[in-house]
Amino acid sequence: MSKDAVTPNPWAQWRSATPARLALGRAGAGMPTDETLRFGWAHAMARDAIHAALDVDALEATLQQQHWQVMRVRSRAEDRTTYLRRPDLGRQLDPADAQRLRTAATSDCDVCLVVGDGLSSLAVARHAAPLLAALRAQLPPETRFSPVVIATQARVALADEVGELFGAALSVMLIGERPGLSSPDSLGIYLTHPPKRGRHDAERNCISNVRPEGLPCEAAAFKLAWLMREALRRGLTGVGLKDESDLAVLESRQATPLPR
């Protein structure tokens, strides 16, 4: 094929502003080879993010270095295939693990933190520990946490049962989101007050797309800390709690004198 058969992409400069697949150009009647290869690579990354197992040992070691207490649990989905085919089992704790949490529960817990592999172990491996480190700096030192629970084959609602067993006022679930072709490592955060089995999505708050190309960990930690403080103060999450953390930023800037 001659060089003239490849039609240049006049929108190439716009693509630096978005990972979306737009204005890809063409080679004759087809797509250029480099774009075909990029699509295949992105699809493979998304597929691997779903099927790859979370390195729980490495995550636990990192969290312990940050001085978090850590416990491990799994859902009733015995393997990845079952997890993908039976979402309901991913929302329920393994009975033996539920008993362990019940035994470890105390009466002085404000917040239960759960880290679930979800649909992207890559997101959890990359962003969960940095987010928790940034979060701790944003919260009052007297905040009472349960041990951080690392849950495998986990769905969002698994945190309801975990939080209920710990008797926590608020549960916070960090979980790998379903990968897209440009975002295989996106982390989601779900808050529920109070956590108990049977809660539905309208009773939660969500922060999504936590990753460097989306919402960076520091910004996500600020939003999360604001929502946590308000959830504990007002005694609710979900549609009744709007994310107004941006207003808090504006108010703090207005209160700060301008440099001369």
Side-chain angles (χ1 to χ4, degrees):
M1 182 180 294
S2 68
K3 187 175 181 180
D4 294 337
V6 177
T7 303
N9 177 9
W11 285 15
Q13 60 181 348
W14 293 95
R15 297 183 61 195
S16 63
T18 175
R21 284 179 166 76
L22 52 84
L24 302 181
R26 60 185 175 86
M31 187 177 293
T33 301
D34 59 345
E35 293 299 338
T36 301
L37 294 175
R38 287 191 187 100
F39 181 89
W41 176 82
H43 184 267
M45 287 286 290
R47 182 179 57 202
D48 289 349
I50 291 176
H51 290 283
L54 176 66
D55 189 340
V56 178
D57 291 338
L59 179 58
E60 180 177 9
T62 301
L63 293 178
Q64 289 175 339
Q65 290 172 3
Q66 296 178 2
H67 306 294
W68 295 103
Q69 291 183 317
V70 180
M71 295 185 70
R72 302 186 187 190
V73 301
R74 60 186 178 91
S75 74
R76 295 193 183 190
E78 296 180 354
D79 52 44
R80 202 60 175 173
T81 300
T82 304
Y83 170 79
L84 295 173
R85 292 178 176 175
R86 292 286 306 274
D88 58 311
L89 296 180
R91 303 183 184 109
Q92 304 172 57
L93 272 174
D94 174 80
D97 287 337
Q99 182 57 44
R100 285 196 304 111
L101 295 187
R102 189 178 292 108
T103 302
T106 62
S107 59
D108 58 349
C109 174
D110 297 320
V111 180
C112 174
L113 296 172
V114 183
V115 180
D117 52 0
L119 289 168
S120 175
S121 60
L122 181 63
V124 175
R126 287 181 175 177
H127 310 313
L131 177 62
L132 290 179
L135 174 65
R136 176 170 264 170
Q138 297 276 357
L139 293 174
E142 63 271 17
T143 304
R144 300 173 299 177
F145 293 99
S146 73
V148 176
V149 176
I150 302 176
T152 52
Q153 314 297 7
R155 301 278 178 174
V156 171
L158 191 72
D160 296 340
E161 185 175 358
V162 174
E164 185 177 18
L165 290 171
F166 274 118
L170 176 69
S171 69
V172 177
M173 167 67 102
L174 281 58
I175 192 166
E177 294 183 330
R178 180 177 58 203
L181 289 177
S182 61
S183 56
D185 63 339
S186 182
L187 188 74
I189 308 170
Y190 294 84
L191 298 86
T192 309
H193 187 301
K196 58 183 179 180
R197 283 168 288 186
R199 302 304 295 265
H200 51 78
D201 288 343
E203 298 171 304
R204 313 185 199 280
N205 287 86
C206 175
I207 303 170
S208 64
N209 199 29
V210 179
R211 60 192 184 102
E213 299 83 2
L215 184 66
C217 283
E218 288 290 342
F222 178 84
K223 282 183 174 291
L224 177 56
W226 188 93
L227 285 168
M228 290 173 65
R229 289 192 297 267
E230 290 300 305
L232 292 171
R233 184 176 71 86
R234 303 185 197 183
L236 56 83
T237 51
V239 295
L241 177 60
K242 303 301 181 184
D243 180 7
E244 297 177 339
S245 58
D246 293 343
L247 296 179
V249 174
L250 292 175
E251 290 173 358
S252 65
R253 289 179 178 175
Q254 290 172 354
T256 303
L258 295 174
R260 302 193 179 194

